Amino acid sequence: MALVKSWVEISGTRLVENLRVIQAVAGEGVETLAVVKANGYGHGAAIVAQVLVDAGIRWLGVSDVEEGVRVRGMAGDRARVLVMCGMDLGDAPEMVAHGLRPVVWTVEHVEALESAGKAAGRRVEVHLEIDTGMARQGVAVGAELERVLERLAVAEWVRCEGVMSHLSSAEVVGSAVTEAQRSRFALALEQVTAAGIRPELVHLGNTSAVDEGSTMEWMRERAARMGARAMVRTGLAIYGDHLPLEGGVGLLGSRLKPVMTWKTRVIGLRSIEAGDTVGYGATFTAKAGMRLALLPVGYADGFRREASSGVGDGWVMIAGKKAVVVGRVSMNLMTVDVTGSGVEVGDEVVLLGEGVTADDHAAWCGTIAYEILCGVRARFELC
């Protein structure tokens, strides 16, 4: 049997439990969109989408048409798929053919979809994005938004199903930046209403906005004023994590449970003596005799080089105990210290999971849990 370098176990039970926590915190009547882009934040979109749809989720978020087509194939017609990261005008026919919901913010977007919808004889539901301060996607409030709304108002095959924006600093409690973004979004919603457009959904909040709380209260009130429903777009929380709030305690807290456990097996053991060096660059020198375990995982698999000893001082878990990284993590291999243990070849190793979290990995690397999770490359299993 061929060696399986590493594998990821996904807890369907925890995935659904996290969804229920998010729904409870977001509040009654608030729609939940689960973000499954980037292969489900590294959790395997095929597995995650199926579990969530079976649990009753009605919205899934992806980054582009290609992801949308794959997720549509998994979810069938049981969920609406929002393509969140813009569109090339040439994507319009495929968007229409697969019943995807594109995010739009230009007149050209609307016209491309109008033509594709007319050719297919199929109405296209779109979500209009407002740029409230990210300077990334979205239409500016005022004259620019007015032009897009005028085009939407006369479209025969394109309908504005939702209006949305994205917060830059949702994890900061009482943020003046967030307050300014909400004010701009409120002005945009007034323009939308004045143009005679009645969206079903209004959405602004991500995981941190749900956790912080004040934006959700604001969104529920604004949506109700328009006769619409508020929706949240949650990614990280679905998978059991969230960014720490700055200046307060969040509502999600310890109620979320990590969904992913990334594992491998020991493929070799060796003993070294004092003075022996380990790995590329001979960056580690043993001060005494040591026993090392060899693991068939490295930075090509997502276990980052910054976790090397003397840099991030990373570790793995073997039989419930820490085994620290020794030397540099290389492309496909790494060594860990198992001195004094009874570890044997073939023993299971937890690379990310109980005792070694995505936040731990992020701390070693000076990054965030999002990047760590998205970087894992392994075989996926539902458990």
Side-chain angles (χ1 to χ4, degrees):
M1 181 180 293
L3 170 71
V4 176
K5 292 180 61 180
S6 68
W7 67 98
V8 170
E9 296 175 355
I10 300 299
S11 170
T13 299
R14 285 189 170 186
L15 195 63
V16 176
E17 288 174 350
N18 291 337
L19 171 62
R20 301 300 179 229
V21 168
I22 293 161
Q23 290 172 328
V25 171
E28 187 176 352
V30 177
E31 192 70 66
T32 304
L33 179 148
V35 184
V36 297
K37 65 180 182 178
N39 197 27
Y41 286 34
H43 289 68
I47 291 173
V48 168
Q50 190 64 57
V51 171
L52 292 172
V53 169
D54 287 345
I57 199 90
R58 300 199 305 168
W59 282 89
L60 298 170
V62 300
S63 62
D64 54 33
V65 172
E66 185 179 356
E67 279 190 340
V69 171
R70 287 200 301 270
V71 169
R72 168 64 71 219
M74 303 162 198
D77 294 328
R78 293 189 293 162
R80 301 176 182 182
V81 180
L82 182 68
V83 180
M84 301 167 60
C85 298
M87 59 171 279
D88 185 274
L89 299 183
D91 291 335
E94 197 167 11
M95 290 272 197
V96 174
H98 293 278
L100 305 176
R101 263 101 167 150
V103 168
V104 303
W105 63 89
T106 70
V107 169
E108 290 78 16
H109 287 156
V110 179
E111 290 177 344
L113 291 163
E114 178 79 358
S115 295
K118 182 177 180 180
R122 185 173 186 176
R123 174 176 281 185
V124 190
E125 308 282 356
V126 303
H127 288 230
L128 174 63
E129 180 154 9
I130 311 300
D131 177 16
T132 57
M134 284 283 283
R136 197 175 62 167
Q137 292 187 170
V139 58
V141 180
E144 189 177 321
L145 174 57
E146 195 65 35
R147 287 192 293 272
V148 177
L149 291 173
E150 287 173 358
R151 186 64 185 88
L152 280 169
V154 298
E156 296 180 16
W157 296 93
V158 177
R159 188 180 79 92
C160 183
E161 182 181 40
V163 181
M164 60 182 283
S165 190
H166 193 61
L167 298 173
S168 67
S169 306
E171 69 278 9
V172 180
V173 177
S175 167
V177 173
T178 297
E179 180 59 36
Q181 285 194 260
R182 291 195 304 222
S183 295
R184 292 189 198 105
F185 195 49
L187 290 174
L189 294 178
E190 290 174 6
Q191 275 192 260
V192 169
T193 300
I197 292 173
R198 300 290 182 265
E200 294 177 19
L201 296 161
V202 177
H203 44 116
L204 181 66
N206 57 5
T207 287
S208 291
V210 176
D211 196 26
E212 191 270 341
S214 67
T215 293
M216 285 312 310
E217 182 179 351
W218 185 91
M219 278 302 309
R220 288 192 295 267
E221 187 275 328
R222 288 286 167 174
R225 189 184 297 184
M226 296 177 66
R229 296 183 69 186
M231 183 164 74
V232 294
R233 306 183 304 268
T234 52
L236 196 57
I238 288 284
Y239 307 108
D241 206 344
H242 59 93
L243 295 178
L245 287 187
E246 298 178 24
V249 178
L251 301 173
L252 296 173
S254 60
R255 298 167 68 184
L256 300 175
K257 302 297 181 185
V259 167
M260 171 190 291
T261 302
W262 182 22
K263 295 181 177 180
T264 189
R265 294 188 186 278
V266 175
I267 62 167
L269 292 162
R270 73 176 58 235
S271 296
I272 62 173
E273 303 299 327
D276 288 347
T277 60
V278 180
Y280 283 119
T283 58
F284 180 90
T285 302
K287 295 179 180 179
M290 300 177 69
R291 188 168 182 250
L292 303 180
L294 181 65
L295 310 181
V297 172
Y299 57 77
D301 307 288
F303 199 100
R304 298 276 289 273
R305 194 168 183 266
E306 296 96 323
S308 300
S309 62
V311 183
D313 294 319
W315 68 87
V316 300
M317 300 296 293
I318 305 178
K321 296 181 179 179
K322 284 186 179 181
V324 300
V325 175
V326 177
R328 285 182 179 165
V329 174
S330 54
M331 187 179 293
N332 305 110
L333 294 166
M334 58 188 287
T335 54
V336 297
D337 182 6
V338 292
T339 305
S341 73
V343 171
E344 300 291 345
V345 170
D347 282 359
E348 197 169 84
V349 179
V350 175
L351 301 167
L352 192 159
E354 193 70 35
V356 52
T357 67
D359 291 325
D360 291 327
H361 280 255
W364 306 334
C365 302
T367 185
I368 55 177
Y370 289 85
E371 185 177 1
I372 297 300
L373 294 172
C374 290
V376 174
R377 299 176 182 88
R379 187 187 73 192
F380 295 87
E381 300 175 354
L382 181 63
C383 62

